[in-house]
C-alpha cells in the first residue's frame, strides 16, 4: 500500500517558497541564505529571564514563511521547517543551555482562532522542540479566555492593551517552582509573551525563558 505522504508529494509536490525548487518548502540553498545566529546575548525584561531566537523578523522571506504558517491557505507542515531553524540556532551556540529540568509551554490561541486555523502554531513548533530537548510539552497550561485583535494589525502602544487579561492558567495545573520554556512564533513588542509570563509567574513559576523563531 502506497504511503499517503508519498501520494500527496507525487500529485502536490512541495516547492520552495523562495526559489520554487521541488522537494521542500525551504530548500537547502535558500536556507543557507538565512543568517541563523550562533550567538546568544542574555536578555531579561519584565517577567522573562531570557529569550532565544535564531533570526530577525526584519527578514522578508522569513516573514513570508511565518505568514504561510499562520494564515490561509495554512501550511501546517512549516512547523518542522521553522522549528529546525530554532534547533540549528541552539546547535550553533558555543555554550549549550541545559533545559533538562524545564517544561515547554506554548502561547495559547482563543478557541475561535484555533477552530479557524485548525492548530496552534506555537504548539506545533513546541512539539518539535520538546523532541529535540527531550523535555515534556504541556499544551493546556495557558488558556486564552478572550478573542483579541491580531497583534500584527495594531500599533505598538495598542498591543499591551489588546492582550491585557487575555490569559489564565488552567486551575488544575501546579506550577510552583517550575522552570518553563515559553514558546511562540515571533517576538515583536513582546506584549503577548510578557503577559503570558506574568500569568505564569503569578501561578508560581520559578523561571520563564522565551523561545521564538524570530525577534523584531
Amino acid at each position: 500500500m502506497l504511503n499517503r505522504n508519498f501520494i500527496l508529494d507525487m500529485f502536490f509536490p512541495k516547492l520552495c517558497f523562495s526559489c520554487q525548487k521541488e522537494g521542500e518548502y525551504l530548500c537547502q540553498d535558500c536556507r543557507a541564505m538565512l543568517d541563523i545566529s550562533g550567538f546568544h546575548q542574555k536578555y531579561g525584561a519584565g517577567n522573562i529571564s531570557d529569550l532565544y531566537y535564531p533570526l530577525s523578523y526584519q527578514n522578508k522571506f522569513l516573514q513570508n514563511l511565518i505568514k504561510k504558517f499562520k494564515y490561509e491557505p495554512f501550511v501546517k507542515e512549516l512547523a518542522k521547517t521553522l522549528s529546525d531553524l530554532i534547533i540549528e540556532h541552539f546547535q550553533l551556540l558555543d555554550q549549550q543551555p541545559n533545559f533538562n529540568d524545564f517544561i515547554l509551554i506554548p502561547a495559547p490561541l482563543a478557541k475561535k482562532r484555533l477552530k479557524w486555523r485548525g492548530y496552534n502554531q506555537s504548539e506545533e513548533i513546541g512539539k518539535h522542540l520538546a523532541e529535540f530537548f527531550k523535555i515534556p510539552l504541556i499544551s493546556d497550561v495557558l488558556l486564552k479566555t478572550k478573542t483579541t485583535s491580531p497583534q500584527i494589525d495594531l500599533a505598538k502602544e495598542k498591543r499591551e492593551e489588546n492582550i491585557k487579561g487575555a490569559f489564565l492558567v488552567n486551575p488544575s495545573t501546579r506550577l510552583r517552582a517550575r522552570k518553563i520554556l515559553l514558546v511562540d512564533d515571533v517576538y515583536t513588542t513582546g506584549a503577548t509573551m510578557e503577559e503570558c509570563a506574568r500569568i505564569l509567574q503569578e501561578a508560581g513559576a520559578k523561571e520563564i525563558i522565551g523561545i521564538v523563531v524570530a525577534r523584531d
Side-chain angles (χ1 to χ4, degrees), residues 5 23 32 34 51 57 83 88 108 117 120 132 138 143 160 162 188 198 209:
N5 289 335
L34 291 174
L51 179 69
Y57 194 55
S83 302
E88 184 171 341
R117 185 175 293 141
N120 177 350
F132 173 70
I138 308 177
L143 307 174
E160 288 185 16
N162 179 54
T188 50
R198 182 181 71 81
I209 293 175

Side-chain angles (χ1 to χ4, degrees), residues 20 24 40 43 50 64-65 68 70 83-84 109 115 131 133 136 138 140-141 144 155 171-172 176 184 196 202 209-210:
Q20 301 301 302
E24 299 291 339
H40 176 69
Y43 174 89
D50 210 347
N64 185 46
L65 282 180
K68 289 181 184 300
K70 294 173 63 176
S83 302
D84 283 347
L109 283 182
K115 184 177 180 181
E131 184 177 340
F133 290 123
I138 308 177
D140 61 350
V141 172
K144 193 168 186 183
S172 66
R176 186 156 302 281
D184 206 352
C196 287
E202 287 182 355
I209 293 175

Side-chain angles (χ1 to χ4, degrees), residues 96-112:
Q96 303 282 327
N98 185 349
F99 295 140
N100 288 342
D101 54 349
F102 281 70
I103 59 174
L104 271 160
I105 293 178
L109 283 182
K111 289 182 180 179
K112 182 178 180 181

Side-chain angles (χ1 to χ4, degrees), residues 65-78:
L65 282 180
I66 292 174
K67 285 175 182 176
K68 289 181 184 300
F69 183 39
K70 294 173 63 176
Y71 299 100
E72 295 177 310
F74 310 109
V75 185
K76 185 178 179 181
E77 289 177 86
L78 278 171

Side-chain angles (χ1 to χ4, degrees), residues 16-131:
C16 175
F17 284 126
S18 179
C19 69
Q20 301 301 302
K21 183 186 297 183
E22 186 174 326
E24 299 291 339
Y25 292 124
L26 177 60
C27 75
Q28 291 302 310
D29 290 340
C30 292
R31 177 170 174 164
M33 295 175 66
L34 291 174
D35 188 18
I36 298 173
S37 172
F39 172 76
H40 176 69
Q41 183 173 358
K42 178 74 173 179
Y43 174 89
N47 299 297
I48 299 171
S49 64
D50 210 347
L51 179 69
Y52 287 86
Y53 56 95
L55 292 158
S56 166
Y57 194 55
Q58 297 302 311
N59 185 294
K60 298 299 182 184
F61 175 53
L62 180 64
Q63 287 182 22
N64 185 46
L65 282 180
I66 292 174
K67 285 175 182 176
K68 289 181 184 300
F69 183 39
K70 294 173 63 176
Y71 299 100
E72 295 177 310
F74 310 109
V75 185
K76 185 178 179 181
E77 289 177 86
L78 278 171
K80 178 68 166 59
T81 302
L82 296 171
S83 302
D84 283 347
L85 299 177
I86 298 175
I87 289 169
E88 184 171 341
H89 167 62
F90 281 101
Q91 291 172 331
L92 289 171
L93 294 177
D94 289 334
Q95 291 188 315
Q96 303 282 327
N98 185 349
F99 295 140
N100 288 342
D101 54 349
F102 281 70
I103 59 174
L104 271 160
I105 293 178
L109 283 182
K111 289 182 180 179
K112 182 178 180 181
R113 201 155 189 84
L114 182 61
K115 184 177 180 181
W116 169 68
R117 185 175 293 141
Y119 57 91
N120 177 350
Q121 76 278 3
S122 301
E123 181 179 355
E124 294 305 312
I125 291 171
K127 289 175 182 177
H128 296 286
L129 297 183
E131 184 177 340

Side-chain angles (χ1 to χ4, degrees), residues 165-185:
F167 307 107
L168 61 79
V169 171
N170 190 326
S172 66
T173 304
R174 298 290 177 265
L175 291 178
R176 186 156 302 281
R178 297 304 300 264
K179 295 181 179 180
I180 295 167
L181 295 181
L182 180 59
V183 181
D184 206 352
D185 53 349

